[in-house]
Amino acid sequence: MSTPKSVIESARKQGAKMVDVKFVDTFGTWQHFSVPMGELTEEVFAEGFGFDGSSIRGWKSIEASDMLAMPDPATAFIDPFMAVPTLSLTCTIAETGTKEAYNRDPRGIAQRGEKYLQSTKIADTAVFGPEAEFFIFDNVQFDSKSNGTFYSVDSEEAVWNTGRDEMPNLGYKIRHKEGYFPVAPNDTQQDIRTEMCLIMESLGIKIERQHHEVATAGQAEIDFRFDTLVKTADNMMLYKYVIKNVARKHGKTVTFMPKPLFGDNGSGMHTHQSLWSKGKPLFAGKEYAGLSQMALYYIGGILKHAKALCAICNPTTNSYKRLVPGYEAPVNLAYSARNRSAAIRIPTFSESPKAKRIEYRPPDPAANPYLCYTALLMAGLDGVINKIEPGEPLDKNIYELPPEELKKVPNVPSSLGEALDHLEKDHAFLLKGDVFTKDFIEMWISHKKKEHDALRLRPHPYEFFLYYDV
């Protein structure tokens, strides 16, 4: 177990000259500032680093902006992307004076979620395992002005480049929806994904596999080992940091945007989850698909609150361009063993009780992982506490159901605005144990409605194609 003393000693042995103080903002971006190594003392871990929080999106106003970044020694690593040896520490944010956790800090919300779980006596540990997808592009350009807007992405392996003059063009391009799993020379990114994996492993993230994903143009997935809620969210932030910086080193760019391409698959973040107590799994049993009754109630809670959850787990306007039928997107709010067209799947690769879990498929990697995983936990716990039945499983191919049957299956919201409307009406489950606060929910809805309106107010290029000559 890392302690302030052991972190300082280890950093000095590795020649660290600077300390990079990292924390996550409301909407899931890592922020940082740096101090010389001499400023890091054992006392700082208890006293925190002071900083101005007024410029962080969704945080303090300027007249009450002083905040404290409280370093967590368990998050220490030597940053592999900095020229000068630099110790990195992830922080939770606290108020000055009282040192109470700041109610809008996502990492603090996740920590309160874990404490709330323990207070219920239902379990002592929530385990999460995300599968985040992303695109590795060679070029991206975009602009938005009052008189015009555009975007353009490109990749050497994209199907639209079969006719490009590449001197020579060798023709090994990946057709739409055929990126799962061709070998080289079609898959051009094996080595870069491997480099990402090896750096993450050197930083303590246990990698399980990497591969090209379904879409053309460099869609990829790297999976890492499950862990506790806060630790998994910490790992997801480090995961994004490593992937983006390795790509930049190779002159490429990565996006976790859910739907950057029209006509091909988007990027999801299927999220595996289970509850444990005293080292024993609680989701294994003799009910449907080998689940326990607790697991079924947990599913019931998630399905009940799924539309509100989308406002947190699918928090961008672009998220709802992925959540449409026909691109493997889990738009149908049902559960099933093996069936990947349902929002909740029960994986059946292993019969071990320790492997028994549920996989919630709607989330995407634009979500702030601390908020996403905590909201899912709170919905699941609401199901367990109130014994919410999930209804009957849906083991048929949803996309082949006759219309009269399909009408009975509820869907995820069709837009961010609709999801926010559901969150406005259905968020009491998030407030239990003061995990999320009313203040946070109101701030989140307000900011996200502005994003929704910003897109709604702007003319779209395709509208010119449809309507210019009316």
Side-chain angles (χ1 to χ4, degrees):
M1 183 176 177
S2 297
T3 64
K5 182 178 181 181
S6 68
V7 166
I8 294 169
E9 289 176 352
S10 176
R12 285 177 176 159
K13 285 179 184 176
Q14 295 178 80
K17 304 296 184 187
M18 296 292 290
V19 180
D20 201 49
V21 180
K22 295 183 173 73
F23 58 94
V24 67
D25 71 12
T26 308
F27 304 105
T29 300
W30 246 1
Q31 309 288 346
H32 78 137
F33 59 88
S34 299
V35 300
M37 188 65 199
E39 292 295 303
L40 185 66
T41 63
E42 291 184 49
E43 289 73 26
V44 165
F45 286 85
E47 297 298 320
F49 289 104
F51 73 100
D52 175 6
S54 64
S55 295
I56 305 300
R57 298 177 297 172
W59 283 16
K60 292 280 191 172
S61 55
I62 198 165
E63 76 279 2
S65 60
D66 287 353
M67 309 191 79
L68 293 171
M70 312 297 291
D72 184 344
T75 65
F77 66 90
I78 299 297
D79 195 305
F81 301 108
M82 296 188 182
V84 173
T86 300
L87 173 68
S88 174
L89 289 168
T90 298
C91 299
T92 302
I93 305 304
E95 301 278 9
T96 56
T98 63
K99 294 191 177 65
E100 289 181 4
Y102 179 47
N103 67 3
R104 293 188 182 182
D105 170 38
R107 194 168 191 265
I109 288 171
Q111 289 173 335
R112 290 196 294 277
E114 289 188 320
K115 288 178 182 176
Y116 173 69
L117 168 65
Q118 292 161 4
S119 75
T120 66
K121 308 297 183 184
I122 291 168
D124 54 36
T125 306
V127 170
F128 284 80
E131 299 175 0
E133 298 164 338
F134 53 94
F135 281 86
I136 305 172
F137 292 132
D138 294 313
N139 189 62
V140 57
Q141 295 169 267
F142 52 88
D143 201 358
S144 181
K145 297 177 286 190
S146 63
N147 67 325
T149 183
F150 83 99
Y151 73 90
S152 178
V153 296
D154 207 3
S155 166
E156 63 179 339
E157 66 176 43
V159 67
W160 57 79
N161 283 323
T162 55
R164 186 170 67 177
D165 190 353
E166 295 182 349
M167 302 297 291
N169 188 324
L170 301 179
Y172 295 112
K173 309 299 181 185
I174 295 175
R175 289 178 286 271
H176 289 298
K177 294 177 172 288
E178 294 187 18
Y180 199 85
F181 304 135
V183 297
N186 297 72
D187 180 1
T188 65
Q189 298 175 348
Q190 172 71 13
D191 290 338
I192 193 171
R193 292 195 306 269
T194 293
E195 184 175 338
M196 293 167 178
C197 291
L198 294 178
I199 290 177
M200 283 190 270
E201 288 228 309
S202 74
L203 300 177
I205 298 177
K206 177 69 175 174
I207 300 298
E208 294 188 330
R209 70 177 61 190
Q210 61 98 332
H211 58 84
H212 204 288
E213 255 299 339
V214 174
T216 187
Q219 192 182 33
E221 178 175 322
I222 299 174
D223 299 334
F224 61 84
R225 183 67 57 86
F226 58 84
D227 212 316
T228 57
L229 191 160
V230 172
K231 180 62 177 173
T232 298
D234 286 344
N235 284 342
M236 180 53 69
M237 297 305 301
L238 181 53
Y239 172 100
K240 289 185 172 183
Y241 181 69
V242 169
I243 286 170
K244 288 179 178 179
N245 279 285
V246 171
R248 186 178 186 277
K249 172 186 166 185
H250 290 272
K252 297 182 184 291
T253 176
V254 158
T255 182
F256 289 91
M257 188 175 170
K259 188 75 170 182
L261 300 183
F262 168 69
D264 214 333
N265 285 38
S267 294
M269 185 175 65
H270 304 157
T271 303
H272 298 253
Q273 49 206 292
S274 59
L275 298 179
W276 294 61
S277 182
K278 298 178 181 178
K280 294 182 179 180
L282 301 180
F283 275 14
K286 297 181 180 180
E287 303 299 323
Y288 174 78
L291 293 175
S292 64
Q293 184 62 59
M294 178 188 289
L296 289 176
Y297 288 148
Y298 191 98
I299 290 171
I302 289 182
L303 291 178
K304 177 182 177 181
H305 300 297
K307 294 187 178 187
L309 287 170
C310 282
I312 294 172
C313 301
N314 306 88
T316 69
T317 58
N318 184 254
S319 299
Y320 299 86
K321 292 175 171 62
R322 165 183 169 257
L323 289 178
V324 295
Y327 297 92
E328 297 188 17
V331 298
N332 300 285
L333 295 175
Y335 73 101
S336 175
R338 297 191 296 273
N339 190 343
R340 293 170 189 265
S341 61
I344 294 179
R345 185 177 75 95
I346 297 92
T348 57
F349 295 122
S350 172
E351 295 300 318
S352 169
K354 292 183 177 181
K356 191 55 66 177
R357 62 197 186 276
I358 71 161
E359 176 192 7
Y360 188 57
R361 296 172 66 80
D364 65 57
N368 183 325
Y370 299 97
L371 303 180
C372 176
Y373 308 153
T374 306
L376 288 171
L377 173 65
M378 297 301 287
L381 289 178
D382 188 57
V384 175
I385 291 168
N386 293 299
K387 297 183 177 180
I388 299 172
E389 294 285 354
E392 293 299 315
L394 189 57
D395 289 330
K396 300 176 183 178
N397 185 334
I398 292 175
Y399 299 128
E400 295 179 0
L401 284 179
E404 59 273 13
E405 282 192 60
L406 193 57
K407 283 181 182 178
K408 299 175 184 176
V409 182
N411 288 340
V412 297
S414 60
S415 70
L416 178 60
E418 185 184 337
L420 292 167
D421 288 343
H422 283 287
L423 181 62
E424 214 160 16
K425 298 170 188 171
D426 178 23
H427 60 257
F429 69 100
L430 296 171
L431 306 180
K432 301 288 179 62
D434 295 323
V435 176
F436 289 82
T437 61
K438 196 82 173 175
D439 168 74
F440 180 90
I441 298 296
E442 289 173 355
M443 175 276 299
W444 182 266
I445 291 171
S446 174
H447 273 261
K448 288 297 173 178
K449 280 189 172 180
K450 289 176 184 176
E451 287 181 28
H452 176 74
D453 286 344
L455 195 75
R456 187 171 59 86
L457 293 170
R458 284 168 167 78
H460 189 283
Y462 197 66
E463 291 176 313
F464 280 79
F465 178 84
L466 292 173
Y467 310 127
Y468 185 75
D469 59 349
V470 296

CSV table of all heavy atoms in Angstrom, one decimal, residues 244-280:
chain,number,residue,atom,x,y,z
A,244,LYS,N,-4.2,8.9,-26.0
A,244,LYS,CA,-4.1,10.2,-26.8
A,244,LYS,C,-2.6,10.6,-27.0
A,244,LYS,O,-2.2,11.1,-28.1
A,244,LYS,CB,-4.9,11.3,-26.1
A,244,LYS,CG,-6.4,11.1,-26.2
A,244,LYS,CD,-7.1,12.3,-25.4
A,244,LYS,CE,-8.6,12.1,-25.5
A,244,LYS,NZ,-9.3,13.2,-24.8
A,245,ASN,N,-1.8,10.4,-26.0
A,245,ASN,CA,-0.4,10.9,-26.1
A,245,ASN,C,0.5,9.9,-26.9
A,245,ASN,O,1.4,10.4,-27.6
A,245,ASN,CB,0.2,11.1,-24.7
A,245,ASN,CG,-0.2,12.4,-24.1
A,245,ASN,OD1,0.3,13.5,-24.5
A,245,ASN,ND2,-1.2,12.4,-23.2
A,246,VAL,N,0.2,8.6,-26.9
A,246,VAL,CA,0.9,7.7,-27.8
A,246,VAL,C,0.5,8.0,-29.2
A,246,VAL,O,1.4,8.1,-30.1
A,246,VAL,CB,0.6,6.2,-27.4
A,246,VAL,CG1,1.2,5.3,-28.5
A,246,VAL,CG2,1.2,5.9,-26.1
A,247,ALA,N,-0.7,8.3,-29.5
A,247,ALA,CA,-1.2,8.6,-30.8
A,247,ALA,C,-0.5,9.9,-31.3
A,247,ALA,O,0.0,9.9,-32.4
A,247,ALA,CB,-2.7,8.8,-30.9
A,248,ARG,N,-0.4,10.9,-30.5
A,248,ARG,CA,0.2,12.1,-30.8
A,248,ARG,C,1.7,11.9,-31.2
A,248,ARG,O,2.2,12.5,-32.1
A,248,ARG,CB,0.1,13.2,-29.7
A,248,ARG,CG,0.6,14.5,-30.1
A,248,ARG,CD,0.3,15.5,-28.9
A,248,ARG,NE,0.7,16.9,-29.3
A,248,ARG,CZ,1.9,17.4,-29.3
A,248,ARG,NH1,2.9,16.6,-28.9
A,248,ARG,NH2,2.1,18.6,-29.7
A,249,LYS,N,2.4,11.1,-30.4
A,249,LYS,CA,3.8,10.8,-30.6
A,249,LYS,C,4.0,10.2,-32.0
A,249,LYS,O,5.0,10.5,-32.7
A,249,LYS,CB,4.2,9.7,-29.6
A,249,LYS,CG,5.6,9.2,-29.8
A,249,LYS,CD,5.9,8.0,-28.8
A,249,LYS,CE,7.1,7.2,-29.2
A,249,LYS,NZ,7.3,6.1,-28.3
A,250,HIS,N,3.0,9.5,-32.6
A,250,HIS,CA,3.1,8.9,-33.9
A,250,HIS,C,2.4,9.8,-35.0
A,250,HIS,O,2.2,9.3,-36.1
A,250,HIS,CB,2.4,7.5,-33.9
A,250,HIS,CG,3.2,6.5,-33.1
A,250,HIS,ND1,4.2,5.8,-33.7
A,250,HIS,CD2,3.2,6.1,-31.8
A,250,HIS,CE1,4.7,5.0,-32.8
A,250,HIS,NE2,4.1,5.2,-31.7
A,251,GLY,N,2.1,11.1,-34.6
A,251,GLY,CA,1.5,12.0,-35.6
A,251,GLY,C,0.1,11.7,-35.9
A,251,GLY,O,-0.4,12.0,-37.0
A,252,LYS,N,-0.6,11.0,-35.0
A,252,LYS,CA,-2.0,10.6,-35.2
A,252,LYS,C,-2.8,11.3,-34.1
A,252,LYS,O,-2.3,11.8,-33.1
A,252,LYS,CB,-2.2,9.1,-35.2
A,252,LYS,CG,-1.5,8.4,-36.3
A,252,LYS,CD,-1.7,6.9,-36.3
A,252,LYS,CE,-1.0,6.2,-37.4
A,252,LYS,NZ,-1.5,6.6,-38.8
A,253,THR,N,-4.1,11.2,-34.2
A,253,THR,CA,-5.0,11.8,-33.2
A,253,THR,C,-6.1,10.8,-32.8
A,253,THR,O,-6.6,10.1,-33.7
A,253,THR,CB,-5.7,13.1,-33.8
A,253,THR,OG1,-6.6,13.6,-32.8
A,253,THR,CG2,-6.4,12.9,-35.1
A,254,VAL,N,-6.5,10.8,-31.6
A,254,VAL,CA,-7.5,9.9,-31.0
A,254,VAL,C,-8.7,10.7,-30.6
A,254,VAL,O,-8.6,11.8,-30.0
A,254,VAL,CB,-6.9,9.1,-29.9
A,254,VAL,CG1,-8.1,8.6,-29.0
A,254,VAL,CG2,-6.1,7.9,-30.4
A,255,THR,N,-9.9,10.1,-30.9
A,255,THR,CA,-11.1,10.7,-30.3
A,255,THR,C,-12.0,9.6,-29.7
A,255,THR,O,-12.1,8.5,-30.2
A,255,THR,CB,-12.0,11.4,-31.4
A,255,THR,OG1,-13.1,12.0,-30.8
A,255,THR,CG2,-12.4,10.5,-32.5
A,256,PHE,N,-12.5,10.0,-28.5
A,256,PHE,CA,-13.5,9.1,-27.8
A,256,PHE,C,-14.9,9.6,-28.1
A,256,PHE,O,-15.9,9.2,-27.4
A,256,PHE,CB,-13.2,9.1,-26.3
A,256,PHE,CG,-12.0,8.4,-26.0
A,256,PHE,CD1,-10.7,9.0,-25.9
A,256,PHE,CD2,-12.0,7.0,-25.7
A,256,PHE,CE1,-9.6,8.3,-25.6
A,256,PHE,CE2,-10.9,6.3,-25.4
A,256,PHE,CZ,-9.7,6.9,-25.3
A,257,MET,N,-15.1,10.5,-29.0
A,257,MET,CA,-16.4,11.0,-29.5
A,257,MET,C,-17.2,9.8,-29.9
A,257,MET,O,-16.7,9.0,-30.7
A,257,MET,CB,-16.2,12.0,-30.6
A,257,MET,CG,-17.4,12.7,-31.1
A,257,MET,SD,-16.8,13.9,-32.4
A,257,MET,CE,-18.3,14.4,-33.1
A,258,PRO,N,-18.5,9.7,-29.5
A,258,PRO,CA,-19.2,8.4,-29.7
A,258,PRO,C,-19.5,8.2,-31.2
A,258,PRO,O,-19.5,7.0,-31.6
A,258,PRO,CB,-20.5,8.7,-29.0
A,258,PRO,CG,-20.2,9.7,-28.0
A,258,PRO,CD,-19.2,10.6,-28.6
A,259,LYS,N,-19.7,9.2,-32.0
A,259,LYS,CA,-20.1,9.0,-33.4
A,259,LYS,C,-19.5,10.0,-34.3
A,259,LYS,O,-20.1,10.9,-34.9
A,259,LYS,CB,-21.6,9.1,-33.5
A,259,LYS,CG,-22.2,8.7,-34.9
A,259,LYS,CD,-22.2,7.2,-35.1
A,259,LYS,CE,-23.1,6.8,-36.3
A,259,LYS,NZ,-23.1,5.4,-36.6
A,260,PRO,N,-18.2,9.8,-34.6
A,260,PRO,CA,-17.5,10.7,-35.5
A,260,PRO,C,-17.7,10.4,-37.0
A,260,PRO,O,-17.4,11.3,-37.9
A,260,PRO,CB,-16.0,10.5,-35.2
A,260,PRO,CG,-15.9,9.1,-34.7
A,260,PRO,CD,-17.2,8.8,-34.0
A,261,LEU,N,-18.2,9.2,-37.4
A,261,LEU,CA,-18.4,8.8,-38.8
A,261,LEU,C,-19.9,8.6,-39.0
A,261,LEU,O,-20.6,7.9,-38.2
A,261,LEU,CB,-17.7,7.6,-39.1
A,261,LEU,CG,-16.2,7.6,-39.0
A,261,LEU,CD1,-15.6,6.2,-39.5
A,261,LEU,CD2,-15.5,8.7,-39.8
A,262,PHE,N,-20.4,9.1,-40.2
A,262,PHE,CA,-21.7,8.7,-40.7
A,262,PHE,C,-21.7,7.4,-41.4
A,262,PHE,O,-20.8,7.1,-42.1
A,262,PHE,CB,-22.3,9.8,-41.6
A,262,PHE,CG,-23.5,9.4,-42.3
A,262,PHE,CD1,-24.7,9.2,-41.6
A,262,PHE,CD2,-23.5,9.1,-43.7
A,262,PHE,CE1,-25.9,8.8,-42.3
A,262,PHE,CE2,-24.7,8.7,-44.3
A,262,PHE,CZ,-25.9,8.6,-43.6
A,263,GLY,N,-22.7,6.5,-41.1
A,263,GLY,CA,-22.8,5.3,-41.9
A,263,GLY,C,-21.9,4.1,-41.4
A,263,GLY,O,-21.8,3.1,-42.1
A,264,ASP,N,-21.3,4.3,-40.2
A,264,ASP,CA,-20.6,3.2,-39.6
A,264,ASP,C,-20.8,3.2,-38.1
A,264,ASP,O,-21.4,4.1,-37.6
A,264,ASP,CB,-19.1,3.3,-40.0
A,264,ASP,CG,-18.4,1.9,-40.2
A,264,ASP,OD1,-18.9,0.9,-39.5
A,264,ASP,OD2,-17.4,1.8,-40.9
A,265,ASN,N,-20.2,2.1,-37.5
A,265,ASN,CA,-20.4,2.0,-36.0
A,265,ASN,C,-19.8,3.1,-35.2
A,265,ASN,O,-18.7,3.6,-35.6
A,265,ASN,CB,-19.9,0.7,-35.6
A,265,ASN,CG,-20.8,-0.5,-35.9
A,265,ASN,OD1,-21.3,-0.5,-37.0
A,265,ASN,ND2,-20.9,-1.5,-35.1
A,266,GLY,N,-20.5,3.5,-34.1
A,266,GLY,CA,-19.9,4.4,-33.2
A,266,GLY,C,-19.1,3.8,-32.1
A,266,GLY,O,-19.0,2.5,-32.1
A,267,SER,N,-18.6,4.5,-31.2
A,267,SER,CA,-17.8,4.0,-30.1
A,267,SER,C,-18.6,4.0,-28.8
A,267,SER,O,-19.1,5.0,-28.3
A,267,SER,CB,-16.5,4.9,-29.9
A,267,SER,OG,-15.7,4.8,-31.0
A,268,GLY,N,-18.7,2.8,-28.2
A,268,GLY,CA,-19.4,2.7,-26.9
A,268,GLY,C,-18.4,2.4,-25.8
A,268,GLY,O,-17.2,2.4,-25.9
A,269,MET,N,-19.0,2.3,-24.6
A,269,MET,CA,-18.2,1.9,-23.4
A,269,MET,C,-19.1,1.0,-22.6
A,269,MET,O,-19.6,1.3,-21.6
A,269,MET,CB,-17.8,3.2,-22.5
A,269,MET,CG,-17.0,2.8,-21.3
A,269,MET,SD,-16.4,4.3,-20.4
A,269,MET,CE,-18.0,4.9,-19.7
A,270,HIS,N,-19.2,-0.3,-23.1
A,270,HIS,CA,-19.9,-1.3,-22.4
A,270,HIS,C,-19.3,-1.4,-21.0
A,270,HIS,O,-18.1,-1.6,-20.8
A,270,HIS,CB,-19.8,-2.6,-23.1
A,270,HIS,CG,-20.3,-2.6,-24.6
A,270,HIS,ND1,-19.9,-3.5,-25.5
A,270,HIS,CD2,-21.1,-1.7,-25.2
A,270,HIS,CE1,-20.4,-3.1,-26.7
A,270,HIS,NE2,-21.2,-2.1,-26.5
A,271,THR,N,-20.2,-1.4,-20.0
A,271,THR,CA,-19.7,-1.4,-18.6
A,271,THR,C,-20.2,-2.6,-17.8
A,271,THR,O,-21.4,-2.7,-17.5
A,271,THR,CB,-20.2,-0.1,-17.9
A,271,THR,OG1,-19.7,1.0,-18.7
A,271,THR,CG2,-19.6,0.0,-16.5
A,272,HIS,N,-19.2,-3.5,-17.5
A,272,HIS,CA,-19.5,-4.7,-16.7
A,272,HIS,C,-19.5,-4.3,-15.2
A,272,HIS,O,-18.7,-3.5,-14.8
A,272,HIS,CB,-18.4,-5.7,-17.0
A,272,HIS,CG,-18.4,-6.2,-18.4
A,272,HIS,ND1,-18.8,-7.4,-18.8
A,272,HIS,CD2,-17.9,-5.6,-19.5
A,272,HIS,CE1,-18.7,-7.6,-20.1
A,272,HIS,NE2,-18.1,-6.5,-20.5
A,273,GLN,N,-20.4,-4.9,-14.5
A,273,GLN,CA,-20.5,-4.5,-13.0
A,273,GLN,C,-21.0,-5.6,-12.2
A,273,GLN,O,-21.8,-6.5,-12.7
A,273,GLN,CB,-21.3,-3.2,-12.9
A,273,GLN,CG,-22.7,-3.3,-13.6
A,273,GLN,CD,-23.2,-1.9,-13.9
A,273,GLN,OE1,-23.5,-1.1,-13.0
A,273,GLN,NE2,-23.2,-1.5,-15.2
A,274,SER,N,-20.6,-5.7,-11.0
A,274,SER,CA,-21.1,-6.7,-10.0
A,274,SER,C,-20.8,-6.2,-8.6
A,274,SER,O,-20.0,-5.3,-8.4
A,274,SER,CB,-20.4,-8.0,-10.2
A,274,SER,OG,-18.9,-7.9,-10.1
A,275,LEU,N,-21.5,-6.8,-7.6
A,275,LEU,CA,-21.3,-6.5,-6.2
A,275,LEU,C,-20.7,-7.6,-5.5
A,275,LEU,O,-20.9,-8.8,-5.8
A,275,LEU,CB,-22.7,-6.1,-5.6
A,275,LEU,CG,-23.4,-5.0,-6.1
A,275,LEU,CD1,-24.8,-4.8,-5.4
A,275,LEU,CD2,-22.6,-3.7,-6.0
A,276,TRP,N,-19.8,-7.3,-4.5
A,276,TRP,CA,-19.1,-8.3,-3.7
A,276,TRP,C,-19.2,-8.0,-2.3
A,276,TRP,O,-19.4,-6.8,-1.9
A,276,TRP,CB,-17.6,-8.3,-4.2
A,276,TRP,CG,-17.4,-8.8,-5.6
A,276,TRP,CD1,-17.8,-8.2,-6.7
A,276,TRP,CD2,-16.6,-9.9,-6.0
A,276,TRP,NE1,-17.4,-8.9,-7.8
A,276,TRP,CE2,-16.6,-10.0,-7.4
A,276,TRP,CE3,-15.9,-10.9,-5.3
A,276,TRP,CZ2,-16.0,-11.0,-8.1
A,276,TRP,CZ3,-15.2,-11.9,-6.0
A,276,TRP,CH2,-15.3,-11.9,-7.4
A,277,SER,N,-19.0,-9.0,-1.4
A,277,SER,CA,-19.0,-8.8,0.0
A,277,SER,C,-18.0,-9.7,0.6
A,277,SER,O,-18.0,-11.0,0.4
A,277,SER,CB,-20.4,-9.0,0.7
A,277,SER,OG,-20.3,-8.8,2.0
A,278,LYS,N,-17.0,-9.2,1.3
A,278,LYS,CA,-16.0,-9.9,2.0
A,278,LYS,C,-15.3,-10.9,1.0
A,278,LYS,O,-15.0,-12.1,1.3
A,278,LYS,CB,-16.5,-10.7,3.2
A,278,LYS,CG,-17.1,-9.8,4.3
A,278,LYS,CD,-17.7,-10.6,5.4
A,278,LYS,CE,-18.3,-9.6,6.5
A,278,LYS,NZ,-18.9,-10.4,7.6
A,279,GLY,N,-15.0,-10.4,-0.2
A,279,GLY,CA,-14.3,-11.2,-1.2
A,279,GLY,C,-15.2,-12.2,-1.9
A,279,GLY,O,-14.6,-13.0,-2.7
A,280,LYS,N,-16.5,-12.2,-1.7
A,280,LYS,CA,-17.3,-13.2,-2.3
A,280,LYS,C,-18.3,-12.5,-3.3
A,280,LYS,O,-18.9,-11.5,-3.0
A,280,LYS,CB,-18.2,-14.0,-1.3
A,280,LYS,CG,-17.3,-14.9,-0.4
A,280,LYS,CD,-18.2,-15.6,0.6
A,280,LYS,CE,-17.3,-16.5,1.5
A,280,LYS,NZ,-18.2,-17.3,2.4
